[in-house]
Structure formats: C-alpha cells, structure tokens
C-alpha cells in the first residue's frame, strides 16, 4: 500500500480503476498515514475520517478521481457543515452553509475529502504558525517552516499523507509553500477558478485558488476539475485551447525566456542560494532549446508597489473582520486578533474609501506596465519562488511587527507582483540547499497562458524528475 500512496493523484486514480486497490483501501491507507505522521507536523487541523469513508460508496464508478484522498486548506474551499476557521479563533461556531463551487467539483470528480489543513490567521503571512492551532512544521526538517499560507497543505503532500491538497495564493501562498516543501504549485490566472458562492473575489482579485502537488500532470488535471465560470462571477479568465491535462507532453516550441536572479529593487536583499537556483534553471532551459537571457519587466522593481499592494490587502482584511462581526452578532475587537492582523486592521481604518480606490487604480497601472514586457514578444519570466532562503519556525516574530513585516515583504518580493497582475505562475522543485532543504523557482506567463506553463513545466520534469525526499 505504501507504493500506491507514493503515486501521484493521477496514478492513484488509475490504480483504483485497475483494481489494484479499492477506493476504501486507498482512503484508509491515507488516514493511517496521517495518524502516524501528523503528530510531528501539525498539518491537518480537522479530521473527518468517518464521514469521508461513509461517502465513498456513493461516488460514481466513472468519476475520474474516484477514491483519491485529498485535503482542503482551511481558508477558502468551504465545505458545508464542517468547521471553518481560516486560522483564527474568531470564527468559532461559524460553519459554512453551502459548499464552495470548487468543493462541489472535487466531490463530483470523486475525490475523498479527509479533512482540513492548517493556515495562518486569515492567510495574511508567509508562515503557518497560527495562535489558534500552533505551528505546522516542514517534513524536510521540523525546525523549519513549510511556508504559508498554504503551509498545512504543502506539509501534508510533502510528507506523503495525500498526493494532492487544495491551496490558495494572495501574495505567494501557493508558490512559497511549494518552494519550501519541494512541490509543484501553480497560481492560475485571475478568474480561472471561481471564488463563489460565498464571495466574488479575494483580496480585490489578488487571491486565486489552486493546488500543491507532486507532479505537473496532477496540477494540470486538478485545475481542469475546478476551473470554469459560474453565473455572477465578476470576471472570467481567457479561454484555454483545451484541457490542461492534454498539455502535458506537448512541445512548447522555442520560447523567449527572461530571467531575474536578483530583485531589481535594491531594497530586497539577494540570496546566493536563490541566485544559484535561477541560474541553473536558466541554463537548463537554454539546453532545451529556448532563447534565455537576463531580462524582465522594468516595473517589477517599482518602489511604490509594496505600499499600494499592502494597502489593498489591509483594506480587504478590515472588510473581512467586519463581516465576521456581523456573522457572529458582535464586532471583532483588535485584541481578539493576532498582533499582525490587529496592526493591519488599524492601518486600514486610517484609509478612506477614496484611498482604497486610488490604490486599486495604481495597481491597474502597474498591471499594464508589467504586461508590456510580455507584449514585446517575451513568453516566460523565470524568477525565484521566494525572496529569502528557507527559514525556521519563528523567523516571522509575532510581536516584533517591524521585523515581521520587513521579512514578509522581502519574502513575497517575487510573488506578490504576479498576484497584482493576475497572471499565472508555477513554482517547480528544482534546487536543494546544502542543508538539504528544497528551493523552488517560478515561471510566469502572460494572462491566460497556463497551457504554456504546463507544457514547459512538463518538459523540465521529463529531463529533471522531481525528487520528494520528505515522503515517509
């Protein structure tokens, strides 16, 4: 059974169809693996094992992922009647009344939802250490962070509990945990996956839903399951030429790829390990026949970006906290929040409605300035997935906010601009530090070109197979 658990989700689904293992046996094996290994990691904060097993018999035989276990991030990905904390004690007793559209599609595809994974409070930082549930630890080294905000999902997949877990990315929250846990993590184009029915968009469109996985084909197939426009969605992503799963193995052609190994904003410190990771992958891409050169959008280094991005996020946090107060019938007090979020709430309360609109308009201009680089004939941008080297649990201090915000800003320097532009980006596990910790690199495509990312990622995976050294 361990051999089946080591398969990716597509492989596990095939094993069930072939009769190599039953759907129930596969789910029971995943449950046993969670029970055996999660105590040291704290990745799964809510377990629904009995309910999940009871649901297996009702899964249609022809469901493409029949019996494949999956874990849901406890932020977004709402499941009716199940606890939903978003990493905070403030939500105690507030359960979703309906499934999110993504959860509906996962169920229809035959996935067995075993539980929910840890996340920082409201997903507002890049490490998973909420006061409400305690820290999640990296399977490669428990002293280190798995990243955030999808840290629980990434730790669970890296440890072999499940082959696939849901995630979301508002400033790097898919790509950063994927980088730190040696996984594939694709942030899709804005609007590719619906945020409904509970909301139209997250963080004014910065946040997108996706997955962390161990293979490119899993990422492609899972996004095929959940992608699509629903009535009332605020916008739709550009149409793809066909299923993303069909792009795996398809020749990408000769591409023009720019790479950035050091951030153009001199305030972001460089890291030799990140520079080495990018330059090695640039050489690999060149060996595959692509035209690769040090180049990137001039707008990437604009010093005003962090302030405008942060203002939009803080304003969205304030709106979310206000809505929680309405749901529970009494306002949320700042002392109920972690210090980081209380500080962001205080900052937002100093902003006017006009300030928020002006910030979003600045981001609109930034999006156009960034897009101009792709409009000049460039296909992909190669950058680090994370602006700092792998870091230990506690590196983002909960009470020293100046240090916390400074370190977070450096960490998301390569990811948050792509949330602002709404473009797709994929992190791939292609480097390891001398200490044995994974380091990812990301490829960024023009809006709507997830198909190109999947083609190139699969091309890389074929010649440089991903290693998953934390699987137990």
């Amino acid at each position: 059974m361990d051999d089946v658990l080591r398969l990716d989700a597509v492989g596990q689904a095939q094993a069930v169809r072939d009769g190599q293992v039953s759907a129930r046996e596969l789910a029971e094996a995943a449950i046993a693996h969670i029970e055996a290994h999660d105590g040291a990691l704290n990745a799964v904060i809510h377990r629904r094992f009995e309910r999940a097993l009871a649901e297996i018999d009702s899964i249609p035989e022809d469901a493409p992922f029949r019996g494949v276990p999956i874990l849901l991030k406890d932020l977004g990905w709402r499941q009716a009647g199940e606890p939903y904390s978003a990493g905070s004690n403030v939500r105690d007793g507030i359960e979703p009344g309906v499934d999110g559209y993504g959860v509906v599609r996962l169920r229809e595809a035959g996935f067995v939802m075993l539980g929910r994974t840890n996340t920082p409070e409201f997903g507002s930082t890049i490490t998973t250490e909420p006061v409400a549930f305690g820290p999640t630890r990296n399977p490669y080294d428990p002293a280190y962070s798995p990243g955030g905000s999808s840290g629980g999902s990434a730790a669970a997949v890296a440890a072999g509990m499940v082959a696939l877990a849901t995630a979301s990315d508002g400033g790097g929250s898919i790509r950063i945990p994927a980088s730190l846990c040696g996984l594939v993590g694709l942030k899709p184009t804005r609007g590719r996956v619906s945020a409904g029915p509970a909301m139209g968009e997250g963080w004014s469109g910065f946040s997108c839903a996706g997955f962390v996985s161990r293979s490119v084909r899993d990422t492609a197939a899972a996004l095929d399951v959940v992608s699509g426009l629903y009535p009332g969605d605020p916008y739709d992503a550009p149409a793809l030429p066909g299923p993303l799963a069909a792009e795996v193995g398809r020749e990408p052609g000769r591409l023009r790829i720019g790479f950035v190994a050091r951030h153009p904003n001199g305030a972001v410190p460089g890291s030799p390990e990140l520079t080495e990771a990018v330059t090695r992958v640039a050489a690999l891409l060149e060996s595959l026949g692509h035209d690769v050169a040090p180049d990137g959008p001039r707008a990437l280094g604009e010093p005003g970006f962090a302030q405008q991005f942060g203002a939009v996020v803080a304003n969205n946090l304030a709106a979310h906290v206000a809505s929680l107060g309405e749901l529970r019938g009494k306002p949320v007090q700042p002392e109920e929040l972690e210090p980081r979020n209380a500080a962001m709430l205080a900052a937002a309360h100093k902003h006017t409605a006009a300030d928020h609109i002006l910030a979003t308009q600045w981001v609109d201009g930034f999006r156009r300035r960034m897009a101009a680089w792709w409009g000049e004939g460039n296909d992909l941008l190669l950058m680090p997935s994370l602006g700092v080297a792998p870091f230990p649990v506690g590196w983002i201090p909960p009470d020293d906010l100046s240090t916390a915000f400074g370190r977070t800003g450096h960490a998301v320097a390569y990811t948050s601009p792509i949330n602002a532009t709404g473009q797709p980006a994929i992190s791939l596990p292609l480097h390891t530090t001398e200490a044995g910790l994974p380091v990812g690199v990301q490829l960024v495509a023009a809006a709507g070109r997830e198909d190109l990312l999947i083609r190139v990622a699969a091309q890389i995976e074929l010649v440089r197979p991903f290693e998953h050294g934390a699987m137990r």
Side-chain angles (χ1 to χ4, degrees), residues 215-244:
S215 68
V216 174
R217 70 176 186 173
D218 269 10
T219 289
L223 278 173
D224 284 337
V225 168
V226 299
S227 295
L229 182 71
Y230 279 82
D233 283 348
Y235 32 63
D236 190 14
L240 292 166
L244 285 175

Side-chain angles (χ1 to χ4, degrees), residues 293-313:
D295 190 20
R298 289 178 293 277
L300 183 65
E302 291 184 0
F305 172 78
Q307 179 181 353
Q308 304 294 344
F309 183 88
V312 173
V313 172

Side-chain angles (χ1 to χ4, degrees), residues 328-389:
R328 70 178 195 171
K330 61 178 180 179
V332 176
Q333 300 302 317
E335 58 268 23
E336 296 180 82
L337 304 175
E338 294 181 21
R340 172 190 68 258
N341 287 322
M344 292 173 66
L345 183 67
H349 285 164
K350 296 177 182 178
H351 300 157
T352 66
D355 290 334
H356 178 71
I357 297 300
L358 287 171
T360 60
Q361 289 175 343
W362 191 95
V363 172
D364 289 340
F366 175 79
R367 184 182 309 117
R368 296 183 188 280
R369 294 190 293 275
M370 285 283 286
W373 186 79
W374 279 266
E376 294 166 359
N378 297 293
D379 296 301
L380 296 175
L381 175 63
L382 169 67
M383 301 190 292
S385 298
L386 178 62
V388 297

Side-chain angles (χ1 to χ4, degrees), residues 70-94:
I70 193 170
L71 290 164
L72 306 181
K73 179 181 179 179
D74 198 30
L75 180 65
W77 301 98
R78 292 168 174 81
Q79 190 172 14
E82 299 291 342
Y84 178 77
S85 68
S88 176
N89 286 322
V90 175
R91 291 195 61 100
D92 277 353
I94 304 175

Side-chain angles (χ1 to χ4, degrees), residues 54-69:
E55 293 165 355
I56 289 175
D57 290 341
S58 63
I59 300 174
E61 291 289 337
D62 60 351
F65 285 95
R66 184 175 187 274
V68 175

Side-chain angles (χ1 to χ4, degrees), residues 117-205:
T117 59
N118 204 6
T119 184
E121 186 176 65
F122 307 138
S124 63
T125 189
I126 48 87
T127 186
T128 302
E129 303 175 42
V131 171
F133 298 99
T136 295
R137 299 182 178 275
N138 193 316
Y140 281 85
D141 185 338
Y144 278 76
S145 171
S149 63
S150 306
S153 287
V157 174
M161 298 177 195
V162 289
L164 185 74
T166 70
S168 57
D169 193 318
S173 290
I174 291 174
R175 290 160 289 163
I176 289 171
S179 175
L180 292 172
C181 292
L183 303 174
V184 178
L186 193 156
K187 181 197 84 68
T189 296
R190 180 174 302 169
R192 182 70 68 202
V193 180
S194 175
M199 57 198 306
E201 60 181 8
W203 285 9
S204 295

